[in-house]
Amino acid sequence: MDQSSTAEHVELAGELVRLMETRIVDPLEILFESDDQVQPIRERLRIEAEVWAAQLLGPDDKLAVHTVARLIAAAFPGDRPFDPPGAWWRSALGQAVARRAGHPGAVAVPYATAAAMLGITRQGVHDLVKRAKLERHPDGGVTTESVRARLNQPKEQRVPSGHHHH
């Protein structure tokens, strides 16, 4: 692992621990009115977070997508489709999800969501659609697959010459 991927792994694993503690373990501690029963779960969570981070960043696409599905289902349960706020896409988990699965459960995303996923402005998304670097969806917005494909390009191919969209 090079230095950037090690840093990315550490950041992602830490974020997964915090997310699962906040969403799952802390509520259990409140229900049980005790940390004793949940302490072993906290310890196991730290180990599992390392594994999940490795799966999300690793070479196996199918495993990465499966892990994304499990983590999203556990951390963001609900009857409505998963639709995180724009800022979530800038997190380590959001970036890993966008690169590996696109937007889980959405074939197309609005320009604002695509912009958040890509870390650029809405105008940047419009420019990319105009230049056929992102695919417009017939029902509006852009295809999740074209956003995912763009995120998986080497960075030097992504930066439009002479333009800086931030």
Side-chain angles (χ1 to χ4, degrees):
M1 258 204 254
D2 62 31
Q3 211 123 29
S4 65
S5 59
T6 302
E8 191 178 11
H9 176 95
V10 169
E11 184 183 0
L12 181 56
E15 206 175 276
L16 287 168
V17 167
R18 289 188 298 278
L19 175 68
M20 294 306 174
E21 282 189 338
T22 305
R23 294 288 182 136
I24 296 166
V25 186
D26 292 350
L28 283 176
E29 188 179 332
I30 293 165
L31 284 173
F32 296 158
E33 295 184 318
S34 153
D35 188 47
D36 296 346
Q37 285 100 338
V38 297
Q39 195 51 43
I41 296 170
R42 282 187 202 285
E43 289 162 19
R44 174 74 190 269
L45 184 62
R46 287 189 185 97
I47 296 164
E48 291 297 330
E50 293 290 335
V51 174
W52 297 328
Q55 291 171 342
L56 290 173
L57 300 172
D60 186 336
D61 273 331
K62 201 171 169 185
L63 180 60
V65 171
H66 178 72
T67 302
V68 163
R70 289 175 48 221
L71 293 171
I72 300 287
F76 304 100
D79 301 330
R80 294 200 319 266
F82 177 64
D83 190 21
W88 183 84
W89 292 107
R90 302 310 316 144
S91 70
L93 178 57
Q95 282 293 284
V97 168
R99 276 198 315 272
R100 297 320 285 268
H103 189 307
V107 177
V109 293
Y111 281 41
T113 303
M117 291 170 79
L118 291 164
I120 61 175
T121 63
R122 245 169 148 143
Q123 185 56 49
V125 173
H126 279 281
D127 293 349
L128 290 170
V129 168
K130 253 193 290 202
R131 293 177 21 238
K133 304 284 185 191
L134 284 176
E135 194 181 325
R136 186 180 273 124
H137 192 273
D139 298 334
V142 295
T143 66
T144 302
E145 185 49 43
S146 70
V147 173
R148 193 183 75 75
R150 183 147 187 92
L151 282 168
N152 285 303
Q153 286 177 348
K155 276 217 166 44
E156 58 275 8
Q157 290 176 19
R158 274 196 270 161
V159 180
S161 57
H163 293 83
H164 294 288
H165 296 291
H166 287 291

